[in-house]
């Protein structure tokens, strides 16, 4: 592993939307996705909640045993992965639950690492 100081995994998120605050536990998170420069948590029930943090920042704060950065738009939680499909010679398409509107494609650079992560290596 790298020499960078490790950041303790985030325990939970406090989300503000309008006049409301909501506490979201990691177990409620299916994945994080970005859309038009905004970041959202998609909950297991399929709700999108806005987040201030970028995916780049989140990636460093999430438990790497449970969360994986698939591509520029998505960080997925292990249990939200429903199935994997061969997409091309070196890429994998991930089917998520709850469904993700776009194709969740693992970039070819990340595919080998993703398979190791899924295998628990």
């Amino acid at each position: 592993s790298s020499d960078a100081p490790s950041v303790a995994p985030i325990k939970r998120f406090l989300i503000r939307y309008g006049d409301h605050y909501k506490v979201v536990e990691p177990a409620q998170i299916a994945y994080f996705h970005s859309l038009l420069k905004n970041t959202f948590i998609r909950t297991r029930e399929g709700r999108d909640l806005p987040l201030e943090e970028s995916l780049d920042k989140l990636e460093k704060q999430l438990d790497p045993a449970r969360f994986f950065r698939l591509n520029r738009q998505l960080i997925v939680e292990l249990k939200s992965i429903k199935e994997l499909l061969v997409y091309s010679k070196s890429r994998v398409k991930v089917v998520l639950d709850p469904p993700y509107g776009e194709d969740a494609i693992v970039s070819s650079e990340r595919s080998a690492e993703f398979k190791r992560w899924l295998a628990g290596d």
Side-chain angles (χ1 to χ4, degrees):
S1 72
S2 69
D3 297 326
S6 64
V7 179
I10 292 173
K11 298 286 186 281
R12 63 188 65 84
F13 292 90
L14 183 63
I15 312 288
R16 180 182 172 183
Y17 51 104
D19 297 333
H20 300 269
Y21 283 97
K22 181 174 173 62
V23 174
V24 179
E25 302 283 343
Q28 297 171 279
I29 297 167
Y31 45 89
F32 298 88
H33 65 104
S34 66
L35 184 67
L36 306 170
K37 299 204 186 334
N38 294 309
T39 307
F40 298 92
I41 289 175
R42 174 89 32 103
T43 65
R44 298 219 177 272
E45 303 90 63
R47 287 189 62 190
D48 275 352
L49 301 170
L51 267 183
E52 298 290 317
E53 292 89 350
S54 67
L55 289 185
D56 290 343
K57 192 172 166 196
L58 282 169
E59 187 180 13
K60 298 179 178 74
Q61 299 175 289
L62 295 166
D63 179 354
R66 292 181 59 188
F67 292 93
F68 190 88
R69 178 87 180 253
L70 290 189
N71 55 38
R72 285 197 306 273
Q73 282 86 29
L74 272 173
I75 298 176
V76 300
E77 202 275 335
L78 184 59
K79 293 187 184 79
S80 68
I81 296 170
K82 200 158 95 174
E83 62 177 329
L84 304 173
L85 305 168
V86 175
Y87 184 73
S88 70
K89 193 161 57 96
S90 58
R91 295 191 299 173
V92 176
K93 179 175 172 176
V94 182
V95 180
L96 295 168
D97 180 30
Y100 178 62
E102 313 294 315
D103 280 351
I105 309 297
V106 183
S107 60
S108 44
E109 310 84 68
R110 290 177 190 258
S111 279
E113 188 190 344
F114 178 61
K115 288 171 187 162
R116 283 196 300 274
W117 176 76
L118 284 172
D121 291 350

